[in-house]
Amino acid sequence: MSQKHLKEAFISNLNGTSLVEISLGLSLAPLCLLCRGLLLISYYLHYGKPLSSRKYSLLLDFLVLVSPLLFSCTVLSPVIFFMPTTVTAFCAGTFYKIYSQRKHETRVPFRQIVQDFQKTYLDPEYIPAITVFRVYVNVLTSISILAVDFPQYPRRYAKAETYGTGVMDLGVGAFIFGNALVCPEVRQKSYVTQPKFSNLARQFFSVWPLIFLGVGRLLSVKSIEYHEHTSEYGVHWNFFFTLAFVRLAASLFLAIFPKNKSWIVAINLAVLYQLILNTTSLKMFILHGSNGRDTRVGFLNANREGLLSLFGYLAIYMASVQVGLCLQKCRNSVKGWTEAACFLLLTALVLFVFLHVSQVYVDPVSRRMANLSYCIWVVAHCLMFFTCFVVTDLVLVFTKLLVKGSSVPCCWNAVKPPNTSTKHETEAALMGRYSKLSHTCLISAINKNQLLFFLLANVMTGTVNILIDTIHSKTAFTLGILHLYMFFNCLIMYILHAKNIVLKFW
């Protein structure tokens, strides 16, 4: 077999892993974020000033926020069940150290701290969990698209062939979910007062970079005979095209239907698509082609997975729009966000119940078809993942109350209630600005240029695969390459962020 066919076989005919293992793996990211925040607060408590060195900030962020995730999907994957416990224990120890080492003059009874925490007002203009969620989906995707070509990446984490729940299967849907959370229909407060189809026209213009990147990827892959998993999207289709067409179709639906009813549209889309799969020959067509022998003759046959899975991804997008609208409601207090986190968690648990019923009585999860079970699974896991980030932020807000003046980037800033004096409001505003200036945060850096980060990761993945025989790489070499790859991508984003450069011209 040629190197190309060897690599294609290496990522084909896989069946995924369990929902429990995926949940445990996802819990590691919020725990790493919590660990980074606690370490920064501990540093402030010890030295009386925030960590201001950009070099050390980047090093800390990479070692705490990125490196553990890289280890968890390679050499530490056999003990993935113990990793969240270990990080939780470290966080608990750090929190206890912070609590016990507070300055004597700022010590108040624990009950009073809890009461102050419940009354704390949060910056209503910024929801850090959305930023962190989208960045981590990008980071995890970037790690996986290269790591999957190495033998140290467990085959059960890779995309399942037809049915199954691989980590990378979830990543595709999570990308759609994250995009919908910040779509113009969610962010635009004046949307109702504008012509219904004005936003649709803007979306047609805004997706051209995705189509351009999709065409660029198609031409480059075909020209260098890069290895492909054909049953993933088809012969000519790729994920850039999926992102573009889902955004366009969603804008059309949101121009026709009320955006606060997008969850109804999502349910109808997913259920109707599943009914058609079960009652017609569409499922057999997706899996085996029009002749039943996996033909790729004709555009529809060649790209049937990519084209027909659009219905499922569109359902995920519409459901995510509803989540985004829910999050944008003014919740400027700890109590409000605690209630929101409980509601999101309860919704996720209900969806997991529906997922079990759907898998038993309807159809197992299939990313290849983006069927009903896949849609439910993606939304349920994304809600749980997002809720973990909200809880992490609330814990960090509580910890910052213990150490006055401490700050954590990409975390809520406590602000004074609206009825306080102007002096206190000014102090709070200055503290907020100070915290933003004193940290150069890797999460903020990636967030500023997310599409560039994803594109750079794709280009670097292709380069590494061309230059290196990934399938036969040794463990130490693999870890070294993956760390260099991720550090280079993060460093580019960090430099652009430090120079306040945003490479977006559309």
Side-chain angles (χ1 to χ4, degrees), residues 21-37:
E21 185 170 15
I22 293 174
S23 298
L24 285 171
L26 288 179
S27 69
L28 194 59
L31 287 170
C32 288
L33 188 70
L34 177 62
C35 180
R36 191 277 300 256

Side-chain angles (χ1 to χ4, degrees), residues 281-412:
S281 59
L282 185 62
K283 183 187 296 186
M284 293 302 294
F285 172 71
I286 294 175
L287 299 180
H288 305 293
S290 58
N291 66 352
R293 289 176 295 189
D294 201 28
T295 179
R296 293 289 173 178
V297 178
F299 183 77
L300 185 57
N301 267 308
N303 303 286
R304 55 185 184 266
E305 293 91 350
L307 291 169
L308 293 170
S309 63
L310 288 173
F311 293 102
Y313 290 127
L314 181 56
I316 293 171
Y317 192 99
M318 296 299 290
S320 308
V321 167
Q322 190 69 57
V323 176
L325 292 171
C326 177
L327 297 175
Q328 291 298 331
K329 290 179 181 177
C330 187
R331 292 188 178 92
N332 59 353
S333 66
V334 166
K335 183 180 179 182
W337 275 104
T338 303
E339 292 172 353
C342 292
F343 175 75
L344 292 174
L345 183 60
L346 180 61
T347 304
L349 293 175
V350 170
L351 286 174
F352 276 117
V353 173
F354 281 120
L355 173 62
H356 176 73
V357 173
S358 179
Q359 291 216 90
V360 172
Y361 297 104
V362 181
D363 211 13
V365 171
S366 173
R367 184 253 335 137
R368 188 174 176 182
M369 291 183 282
N371 59 2
L372 176 63
S373 295
Y374 177 76
C375 296
I376 297 173
W377 174 54
V378 167
V379 175
H381 252 121
C382 287
L383 284 176
M384 186 164 284
F385 193 39
F386 180 83
T387 304
C388 289
F389 285 124
V390 173
V391 173
T392 297
D393 280 333
L394 292 175
V395 172
L396 289 175
V397 169
F398 180 83
T399 311
K400 287 193 292 183
L401 288 177
L402 301 176
V403 184
K404 302 296 183 183
S406 61
S407 61
V408 178
C410 287
C411 173
W412 267 309

Side-chain angles (χ1 to χ4, degrees), residues 260-278:
N260 60 347
K261 303 295 182 184
S262 57
W263 66 277
I264 298 176
V265 177
I267 292 173
N268 280 285
L269 266 173
V271 171
L272 181 61
Y273 176 51
Q274 185 64 55
L275 283 173
I276 295 173
L277 286 173
N278 286 358

